[in-house]
């Protein structure tokens, strides 16, 4: 299929800067539809799940808009960005906060394995590292997956986050900021990028183009 003729739907989660995501695809010759309507999502050729803010607010929005069952049932390729990727995980510790020491997790979409944890960067030999992890950093991968075609291991992408998905068997690429974390995840037709492809220059544009060609 000519990628310019694909029906690409950006899922309107109510918690994302949709304009920059939409323009990134427009630069690739695709005119995406921003929608939270079930029929649009079900009939799409490809889906984008963006997100900014907190996991609590994002999952609340998804539930209120009736999007959780639609996303879980998706059969077409779906790519989550930043918080959109984190929502694909089992759960997140980015909760409302608590005074006790017990683990409190908010349920996420449970599509990819693993949990979202606060990044640990305060070790002695990395004392200059602070949260959020903001700026350009390298990803490492084995250069075999079609989503990363033409993107050498060691390429730089733009990150803004304080929480990250632990490394699991579904990890496609890793990044290191004090400790390794999942930069790209893949499970069946679901994909996620912790970084912002729409803000990552030529490498980000290539990843989006690769996604359109899956």
């Amino acid at each position: 299929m000519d990628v310019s003729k694909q029906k690409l739907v950006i899922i309107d989660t109510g918690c994302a800067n949709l304009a920059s995501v939409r323009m990134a695809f427009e630069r690739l010759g695709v005119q995406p539809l921003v929608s939270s309507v079930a029929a649009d999502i079900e009939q799409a050729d490809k889906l984008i799940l963006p997100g900014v803010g907190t996991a609590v607010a994002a999952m609340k929005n998804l539930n209120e808009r009736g999007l959780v069952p639609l996303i879980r049932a998706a059969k077409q390729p779906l790519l989550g960005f930043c918080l959109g990727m984190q929502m694909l995980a089992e759960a997140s510790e980015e909760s409302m906060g608590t005074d006790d020491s017990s683990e409190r997790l908010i349920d996420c979409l449970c599509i990819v394995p693993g949990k979202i944890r606060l990044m640990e960067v305060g070790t002695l030999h990395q004392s200059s590292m602070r949260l959020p992890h903001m700026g350009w950093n390298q990803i490492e991968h084995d250069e075999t997956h079609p989503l990363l075609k033409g993107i050498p291991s060691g390429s730089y992408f733009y990150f803004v986050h304080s929480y990250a998905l632990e490394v699991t068997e579904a990890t496609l690429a890793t990044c290191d900021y004090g400790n390794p974390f999942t930069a790209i995840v893949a499970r069946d037709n679901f994909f996620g990028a912790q970084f912002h492809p729409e803000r990552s220059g030529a490498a980000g544009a290539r990843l989006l183009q690769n996604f359109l060609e899956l």
Side-chain angles (χ1 to χ4, degrees):
M1 178 188 292
D2 182 346
V3 296
S4 66
K5 297 179 180 178
Q6 289 188 28
K7 183 177 181 182
L8 176 69
V9 172
I10 300 171
I11 300 173
D12 186 358
T13 62
C15 56
N17 180 6
L18 301 176
S20 61
V21 177
R22 186 185 70 247
M23 288 188 291
F25 284 104
E26 289 175 348
R27 289 193 292 270
L28 296 174
V30 177
Q31 298 297 318
L33 173 66
V34 177
S35 178
S36 60
V37 176
D40 292 332
I41 293 170
E42 291 167 349
Q43 295 167 15
D45 296 310
K46 301 279 171 60
L47 294 168
I48 299 296
L49 181 65
V52 294
T54 68
V56 170
M59 289 306 302
K60 181 174 182 289
N61 281 0
L62 290 188
N63 280 297
E64 288 179 348
R65 295 178 179 219
L67 293 172
V68 170
L70 285 172
I71 294 169
R72 286 176 173 161
K75 302 302 182 186
Q76 60 273 74
L78 179 149
L79 175 62
F81 295 178
C82 196
L83 183 61
M85 167 186 149
Q86 294 182 8
M87 288 188 288
L88 297 176
E90 296 169 7
S92 174
E93 68 177 21
E94 188 179 8
S95 67
M96 302 291 274
T98 180
D99 293 330
D100 62 47
S101 59
S102 62
E103 182 181 69
R104 290 186 60 187
L105 299 174
I106 178 171
D107 290 336
C108 293
L109 291 166
C110 297
I111 292 170
V112 301
K115 296 179 176 63
I116 306 300
R117 305 285 190 185
L118 182 66
M119 300 173 75
E120 296 180 3
V121 297
T123 54
L124 193 61
H125 66 289
Q126 296 153 344
S127 58
S128 63
M129 292 182 172
R130 296 289 184 268
L131 292 179
H133 172 214
M134 180 181 296
W136 296 87
N137 205 341
Q138 294 173 285
I139 69 168
E140 304 294 334
H141 61 96
D142 64 9
E143 304 190 5
T144 62
H145 197 280
L147 184 64
L148 287 157
K149 180 178 65 176
I151 301 173
S153 185
S155 295
Y156 282 85
F157 290 86
Y158 189 81
F159 293 82
V160 183
H161 63 119
S162 296
Y163 291 79
L165 177 64
E166 57 198 354
V167 177
T168 75
E169 69 271 18
T171 298
L172 198 61
T174 61
C175 182
D176 194 292
Y177 188 70
N179 290 288
F181 63 89
T182 296
I184 301 177
V185 67
R187 169 61 64 88
D188 301 324
N189 55 303
F190 293 93
F191 304 90
Q194 178 59 67
F195 48 83
H196 287 270
E198 78 280 13
R199 299 173 64 182
S200 294
R206 181 59 189 265
L207 184 134
L208 297 182
Q209 182 69 37
N210 289 345
F211 175 71
L212 292 172
E213 293 175 356
L214 289 177

